Amino acid sequence: MTNGMKRCVIIGGAGIGNYDAVRKHLKPYDFNIFCDSGLRHLNRLAIEPHLIVGDFDSHPNPHSDAETIVLPCEKDDTDTVFAVKEAVRRGFDDFLLIGVVGARLDHTLGNVSILLMLDSLGKKAKIIDDYSEMEIVSKSPAFIDNSFAYFSLLNISGTAKGITIENAKYPLDNASITCEYQYGISNEVLPGALAKVSVSEGRLLLIKVMRDRR
């Protein structure tokens, strides 16, 4: 069993435009899993792979000294989903996913749903891309500071009820957001404040938009 105090970083093959910004989120004690074409980010991220997984249909198998799991090309799970499940099996409780949001909308939506899967398992998880940070708000409240230009709340799993937003330009009190009517887009933290988001029933996707990438 891997030490649950470590964080697992999963690197997918979607484009990364600002490597400097991404590297700021990485830590020396992270356990890094590269998924197939995520290996193209290896040198620019300047981190070592602890595990490589993939069917290697989009990137050659590097045949390195790192532990490697070769997957079949025809399978139910994407390489990224397999990597997440393998990390859960090894005991990780904290996840950061990078290189998983990009031009392929099908892969992007599938990877965002990983946040729901990990939340259901009681795991902490976040996706970062060139523009934003994403996480699920469910049992525990989330907080947003002024380092972000905007934040949005999206319902991606059904009706969410008892939504409260405090210390924001557009507050809410015991509100609901449905998948059919997404009105929680582009809110702002009040100057000098710390916004708080909570939900009593259901789950929400919180997207925090970085100031320098509006």
Side-chain angles (χ1 to χ4, degrees):
M1 179 73 71
T2 302
N3 184 350
M5 295 301 292
K6 286 186 176 181
R7 182 179 65 171
C8 181
V9 176
I10 294 179
I11 302 97
I16 297 175
N18 189 341
Y19 285 94
D20 290 338
V22 170
R23 279 194 296 267
K24 292 178 182 178
H25 291 269
L26 304 177
K27 301 175 182 178
Y29 58 77
D30 288 332
F31 185 89
N32 304 312
I33 303 180
F34 282 81
C35 304
D36 204 330
S37 60
L39 286 163
R40 69 191 180 104
H41 303 304
L42 182 62
N43 293 333
R44 296 289 298 276
L45 290 175
I47 56 176
E48 293 297 321
H50 298 98
L51 175 63
I52 299 170
V53 304
D55 53 24
F56 301 106
D57 62 346
S58 54
H59 191 283
N61 185 336
H63 298 289
S64 68
D65 292 334
E67 180 185 0
T68 301
I69 299 176
V70 179
L71 304 174
C73 291
E74 296 183 2
K75 56 190 182 300
D76 292 331
D77 292 339
T78 65
D79 297 336
T80 305
V81 170
F82 179 90
V84 170
K85 289 183 175 180
E86 178 64 18
V88 169
R89 188 186 70 80
R90 295 185 185 210
F92 287 98
D93 294 314
D94 190 4
F95 290 79
L96 175 66
L97 288 82
I98 61 179
V100 299
V101 175
R104 282 284 300 270
L105 182 60
D106 51 350
H107 278 283
T108 292
L109 293 177
N111 289 334
V112 169
S113 72
I114 290 173
L115 296 178
L116 293 172
M117 178 178 70
L118 289 171
D119 179 73
S120 296
L121 296 173
K123 310 296 185 181
K124 180 181 177 182
K126 179 185 293 185
I127 291 174
I128 61 171
D129 64 10
D130 287 335
Y131 297 91
S132 60
E133 298 182 11
M134 308 176 205
E135 61 188 273
I136 297 298
V137 184
S138 57
K139 299 177 182 66
S140 300
F143 298 90
I144 308 99
D145 60 36
N146 280 117
S147 65
F148 296 95
Y150 303 105
F151 69 92
S152 296
L153 293 169
L154 293 167
N155 188 337
I156 60 172
S157 64
T159 299
K161 300 179 180 179
I163 302 167
T164 299
I165 302 176
E166 304 174 49
N167 298 325
K169 183 176 181 179
Y170 306 110
L172 286 178
D173 182 19
N174 196 31
S176 298
I177 296 177
T178 66
C179 290
E180 293 82 10
Y181 181 36
Q182 306 275 10
Y183 61 88
I185 308 295
S186 293
N187 208 336
E188 300 176 40
V189 181
L190 292 178
L194 183 68
K196 178 182 178 181
V197 175
S198 59
V199 57
S200 62
E201 180 181 339
R203 297 182 287 184
L204 293 168
L205 174 66
L206 169 63
I207 303 178
K208 299 180 285 186
V209 181
M210 301 173 190
R211 286 196 174 276
D212 59 349
R213 303 295 289 176
R214 285 183 281 182

